[in-house]
Every structure is written in C-alpha cells, then in structure tokens.
C-alpha cells in the first residue's frame, strides 16, 4: 500500500506530469517524422520502379527503330529466363491485338500505372503473393509493347519499412518514457529533500542543509546551494542573538548578585524604618527574579551548545518520574489538583543526562500545575512504541490555542492570560533545548479539553544490557 501511495504521489507531482507531457509530445513528433519518412521512401521507390519501366520501354523503342521488330522479340524472349516469382511481365501486340510475344495472354486496361492482378490474364497460375503490377506501354510502330513490374517486392519493402518504423517508434517511445520517469523521479527526490530540509529548519533545526552532489550544476543544485547559504546566514543570526543573550546574562549576573548582597546588608540594618524595609524586601524579590532569569538563560545557552552531551548515559525514566511525583504530589494536593503517573513500562530507557531530563519533565509538570485551575487532572504517562519512548504530560485545564503552540517555546514568550502568574517565560524554552539536545521530538496537541505535550525519544538499551 505504501508503495502504491508513493507511485500515486509521484504521478501527481509536477515533475512526473511534465515528464509525461514531454514524452507524449516526443511520441507525436517521432510518429510524425516516421510517417513522413515512410511516405517519402514509398514515393521514391515507386517512382524509381516506374522510371525503370519507362527506361526499359524507351530502350525497346530505340531497338525497334534501329533493328526492327524481330530484334525486339528476341530481346523479350530473354526476359522469360529472369522472371523470378512473376516479377516481370511483357506483352507485344500488333495493331489487331494479336499477341506477337509475351508471358501473359492479355492485360485489361493497358497503359501506364497500377493494375490489380485480376487485370492480368495468363494460362499458368500467378504467384499467389502478387496482388498487382505497375505497367508502362509504348508504341513500336503499329505494335504496342506493355511492360509490367510486380508490386510484390515493393509491398515487401513497404512491409519491412513499416515494421522497422513501428519497432523504432515503440523503442524510442519507451526510451523517452523511461528517461522521463527517471529524470522526473530524480527531480522529485531532490525537491523532496529540499522540502524536508525547509520543514526541519522551520522546526528550529538550523544545522540541516540541502544535500548537493557537488558535481552537477543544474538549476536545482544552484537553488539548493542558495537555500543552504540562506540557512547558514539565518543560523549565524540566531547564534549571534543567543550569544548576545548569554553574554548579557553572564555580564549582569555578577553585579546583580552583588546588588543582592547589598540589599541583604540593608535589610539587616538596625535603624531601617518599616517602610524602607518593605521597599528593600521588594527589591530583593526583584533581584532574585533577575538572577533566576540570568541563570536560566546561561543554562539554556550551555544546553544548546551541547556541552552536557558528554555526560550522556543510558537513563531509565521511571525513577525520574517517581522523584517528580514525590516532589510535586504535595503541590498538586495543596492546589486541589490531581497528579497521576501512569508508567506502562518500568524499563523505558533513553540516552541522556539524568539531571537535564529531570529538569525538563519537572518544567512540564510545574507548568501544568501553575497554569491550571483547581480541580484539574494532570496525567504523566510513559510507554514504548516502535523503538521509541513516549513521555506525555497532559491536563484537562484551559489549554493553549493551537496558533500559540510554537510561540510558547520562544524565550520570554508568555500568553496574555499568563502574564499575572509567576514565571519568566523560559521554562518551555528550556524544555525544547533539552529535548533537542536529546534528539527528542516535542509536540503539543489538543487534549480536548486541555493540553497534551508529547516527548518522543529514541529508545536506548537499559544499563547492563
């Protein structure tokens, strides 16, 4: 079924349609060329045979003028010895119609041109494949000489030409179709590669590039190279933006920590008034939020740089979920929410960093707890399917509009309704960064009601396996 679907998709593609249209046009042109070639070849051969009859008749006329009727009759007698399969006929009659010489008895409608075999009368049976003759008559004084050539060999030649032209046409048509399909298939594959690369880039995989052979220099290769240059430029801009964010967070973290220390000193001052203490406490909270943001930005930058991948090991997810259940279960009870963990496979294992995986799952659970009202049911499931490990965090809360699903993974992006709740808009950015570091696909879906976030990992062999 998949093969049929692939063929059907290929036939609907632009390259396949163009190939088939050009193959059809090629077939029409080829048929026209072969048809004209056959027509001109047939006419040339027919004219050549007619001219040969006319030349022979002229020769007899000249012989009659020079040597008389007896010489003509003697030469006609030589024809009988070289008459393979009734190829040549001749008939010499006087003015009264009496046959003076000939290998036939009579010819209906004598003159020049084609006559069917029924117009030829002779005692002996004619060769069965002969269907007609080309005739040419000439007056030799009072006598009339009619020479004829069978159309058998002409028709045999026509049949050979027809077979050759039909066979050549079929071979050229098949060759054209095959070439069109191969070229169309190759073009379709290359367009599919370009489309897949652009989809991956749109999903944030800026390291992807369109494959190029390096030897060809056709339009698709030039377009692929231009696309790769554009992606490379886009990747530089994104990397530069990330680096600027990391640099700002790194440069401001130390002064902010010093400010936090000064505020602590201020809070401990014995002569601080109540009003000033409240202001100082608010300043401390703000400083803590800023320090937390800087830490989160630097952590995301480190994750995206891939520095933590050297610590990857086979990591079972069930123990991580158990710890998260212990940590967030009381929080859910306090919020009058239900937090359920459904682990179908205790051995589900991925290749990764345990600390980062814990933080990623915790961010998702914390996000669901924070943005869902009382009475919400939050469910975390773990399962395996087709060499993949599937981890899903879903809730029946208010959810996120589908048009916002991709935006919420951006740094500092927050939904309008969430701006009054705690948070800095970096939690899901970190989830995506950790997922990409683990080559896991993260997708959002409508839970009807609520939101479902699915993480799809490649399965790793358990430790000691």
């Amino acid at each position: 079924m998949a093969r049929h679907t692939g063929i059907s998709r290929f036939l609907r593609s632009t390259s396949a349609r163009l190939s088939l249209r050009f193959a059809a046009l090629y077939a029409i042109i080829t048929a026209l060329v072969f048809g004209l070639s056959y027509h001109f070849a047939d006419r040339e051969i027919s004219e050549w045979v007619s001219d040969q009859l006319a030349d022979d008749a002229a020769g007899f006329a000249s012989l009659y003028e020079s040597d008389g009727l007896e010489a003509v009759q003697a030469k006609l007698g030589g024809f009988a010895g070289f008459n393979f399969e009734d190829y040549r006929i001749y008939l010499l009659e006087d003015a009264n119609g009496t046959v003076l010489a000939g290998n036939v008895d009579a010819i209906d409608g004598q003159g020049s041109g084609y006559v069917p075999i029924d117009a030829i009368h002779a005692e002996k049976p004619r060769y069965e494949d002969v269907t007609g003759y080309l005739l040419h008559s000439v007056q030799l004084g009072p006598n009339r000489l009619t020479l004829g050539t069978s159309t058998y060999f002409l028709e045999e030649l026509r049949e050979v030409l027809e077979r050759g032209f039909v066979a050549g046409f079929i071979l050229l048509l098949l060759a054209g179709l095959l070439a069109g399909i191969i070229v169309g298939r190759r073009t379709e594959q290359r367009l599919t590669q370009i489309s897949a690369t652009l989809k991956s880039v749109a999903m944030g995989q800026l390291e992807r590039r369109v494959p190029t052979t390096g030897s060809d220099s056709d339009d698709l290769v030039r377009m692929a190279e231009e696309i790769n240059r554009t992606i490379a430029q886009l990747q530089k801009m994104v990397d530069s933006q990330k680096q600027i964010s990391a640099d700002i967070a790194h440069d401001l973290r130390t002064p902010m920590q010093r400010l936090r220390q000064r505020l602590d000193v201020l809070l401990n001052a014995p002569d601080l008034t109540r009003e000033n203490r409240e202001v100082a406490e608010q300043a401390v909270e703000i400083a803590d939020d800023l320090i937390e943001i800087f830490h989160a930005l630097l952590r995301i930058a480190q994750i995206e740089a891939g520095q933590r991948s050297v610590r990857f090991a086979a990591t079972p997810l069930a123990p991580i979920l158990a710890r998260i259940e212990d940590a967030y279960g009381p929080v859910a009870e306090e919020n009058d929410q239900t937090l359920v963990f459904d682990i179908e496979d205790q051995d589900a294992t991925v290749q990764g960093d345990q600390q980062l995986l814990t933080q990623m799952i915790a961010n998702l659970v914390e996000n669901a707890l924070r943005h869902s009202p009382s009475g919400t049911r939050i469910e975390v499931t773990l399962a395996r399917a087709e060499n993949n490990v599937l981890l899903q965090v879903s809730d029946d809360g208010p959810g996120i509009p589908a048009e916002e699903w991709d935006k919420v993974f951006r740094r500092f992006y927050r939904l309008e309704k969430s701006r009054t709740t705690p948070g800095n808009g970096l939690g899901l950015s970190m989830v995506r960064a950790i997922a990409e570091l683990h080559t896991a696909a993260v997708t959002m879906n409508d839970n009807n009601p609520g939101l479902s976030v699915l993480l799809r990992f490649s399965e790793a062999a358990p430790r000691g396996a």
Side-chain angles (χ1 to χ4, degrees):
M1 181 64 74
R3 180 180 178 84
H4 291 169
T5 302
I7 294 175
S8 177
R9 184 172 56 189
F10 168 69
L11 292 176
R12 291 197 303 270
S13 65
T14 301
S15 57
R17 291 180 180 179
L18 285 176
S19 299
L20 292 176
R21 288 174 183 173
F22 278 115
L25 179 62
Y26 182 68
I28 294 173
I29 293 175
T30 303
L32 184 62
V33 170
F34 279 174
L36 289 174
S37 299
Y38 175 82
H39 170 74
F40 288 122
D42 179 70
R43 192 178 70 175
E44 286 296 321
I45 293 172
S46 298
E47 289 179 356
W48 178 80
V49 172
S50 298
D51 291 344
Q52 187 182 34
L53 284 174
D55 289 343
D56 289 345
F60 279 108
S62 177
L63 182 63
Y64 177 78
E65 292 293 336
S66 61
D67 299 333
L69 184 60
E70 291 182 357
V72 172
Q73 289 175 311
K75 188 171 183 178
L76 286 174
F79 273 35
F82 304 95
N83 194 17
F84 178 69
E85 294 179 345
D86 296 334
Y87 175 60
R88 298 293 300 269
I89 60 173
Y90 61 95
L91 182 64
L92 178 62
E93 300 171 295
D94 62 15
N96 298 321
T98 302
V99 177
L100 302 178
N103 57 1
V104 297
D105 298 331
I107 300 175
D108 295 339
Q110 295 186 38
S112 297
Y114 174 80
V115 295
I117 188 63
D118 297 337
I120 308 300
H121 302 279
E123 292 183 358
K124 72 173 185 176
R126 313 305 298 176
Y127 186 64
E128 59 182 2
D129 288 335
V130 176
T131 59
Y133 284 87
L134 288 174
L135 302 179
H136 189 91
S137 298
V138 61
Q139 285 295 135
L140 304 178
N143 310 303
R144 183 174 62 179
L145 174 63
T146 300
L147 299 175
T149 299
S150 167
T151 59
Y152 169 69
F153 293 106
L154 186 59
E155 289 172 357
E156 286 289 308
L157 186 58
R158 285 171 178 166
E159 186 175 343
V160 170
L161 284 175
E162 288 173 358
R163 289 176 180 175
F165 285 159
V166 170
F169 172 75
I170 293 174
L171 287 176
L172 287 175
L173 179 60
L174 292 177
L177 281 173
L178 182 61
I181 290 174
I182 292 174
V183 172
R185 191 71 174 174
R186 288 187 58 189
T187 303
E188 181 68 16
Q189 289 174 345
R190 295 166 70 183
L191 290 175
T192 301
Q193 289 176 337
I194 292 174
S195 176
T197 301
L198 292 177
K199 286 181 180 177
S200 298
V201 170
M203 296 294 292
Q205 300 177 19
L206 298 181
E207 71 284 0
R208 289 287 303 274
R209 296 292 184 273
V210 180
T212 55
T213 60
S215 57
D216 295 338
S217 58
D218 58 16
D219 294 344
L220 288 179
V221 170
R222 289 195 292 273
M223 184 174 69
E225 291 173 346
E226 190 64 32
I227 290 174
N228 288 341
R229 281 194 288 271
T230 303
I231 296 174
Q233 187 65 26
L234 177 62
Q235 187 177 23
K236 286 182 181 177
M237 295 171 62
V238 173
D239 290 344
S240 176
Q241 185 184 30
K242 291 178 179 178
Q243 186 61 44
I244 290 172
S245 299
D247 290 345
I248 292 174
H250 183 271
D251 293 343
L252 292 183
R253 182 178 59 176
T254 301
M256 189 56 62
Q257 287 174 337
R258 290 175 181 170
L259 175 62
R260 176 68 168 78
Q261 293 170 355
R262 298 293 185 277
L263 290 172
D264 283 338
V265 172
L266 179 62
L267 280 173
N268 293 325
D271 55 346
L272 194 65
T273 63
R274 186 173 62 83
E275 291 79 9
N276 288 337
R277 183 175 299 280
E278 290 178 354
V279 172
E281 288 175 348
Q282 293 173 358
V284 168
E285 291 179 1
I286 295 173
D288 286 342
D289 290 341
L290 290 173
I291 291 172
E292 184 182 349
I293 290 173
F294 293 152
H295 279 300
L297 285 173
L298 288 174
R299 193 168 178 78
I300 291 173
Q302 291 174 350
I303 294 169
E304 291 177 337
Q307 298 174 1
R308 301 290 292 271
S309 59
V310 296
R311 299 170 51 180
F312 276 18
T315 306
L317 295 182
I320 295 177
L321 295 183
R323 289 195 293 274
I324 290 177
E325 184 176 15
D326 292 340
Y328 288 96
V331 178
E333 290 183 8
E334 186 178 339
N335 295 341
D336 193 23
Q337 296 168 323
T338 302
L339 181 58
V340 178
F341 284 76
D342 181 7
I343 303 175
E344 294 183 9
D345 194 329
Q346 294 288 339
D347 296 328
T349 303
V350 301
Q351 192 74 13
D353 182 301
Q354 178 177 317
Q355 186 180 3
L356 291 179
L357 291 169
T358 302
Q359 182 170 8
M360 178 176 63
I361 302 170
N363 279 10
L364 292 174
V365 173
E366 189 174 314
N367 210 53
L369 290 170
R370 179 179 296 167
H371 298 290
S372 299
S374 299
T376 300
R377 176 185 172 88
I378 301 164
E379 186 173 5
V380 181
T381 62
L382 178 64
R384 286 193 294 186
E386 298 179 352
N387 298 324
N388 288 320
V389 173
L390 306 178
L391 191 149
Q392 183 168 269
V393 179
S394 56
D395 63 72
D396 57 0
I400 297 176
E403 61 272 17
E404 301 279 359
W405 287 350
D406 190 56
K407 297 178 183 176
V408 294
F409 287 106
R410 299 176 186 172
R411 297 178 189 184
F412 300 112
Y413 187 86
R414 305 191 69 188
L415 297 177
E416 194 63 33
K417 63 183 179 182
S418 302
R419 293 191 178 280
T420 56
T421 59
N424 51 32
L426 293 172
L428 289 177
S429 298
M430 189 169 294
V431 168
R432 170 169 279 183
I434 296 173
E436 291 178 349
L437 182 65
H438 290 77
T439 62
V442 53
T443 55
M444 285 189 171
N445 300 286
D446 195 340
N447 199 39
N448 295 314
L451 180 69
S452 172
V453 182
L454 175 64
L455 289 161
R456 182 184 295 272
F457 299 87
S458 295
E459 185 181 15
R463 291 176 181 171

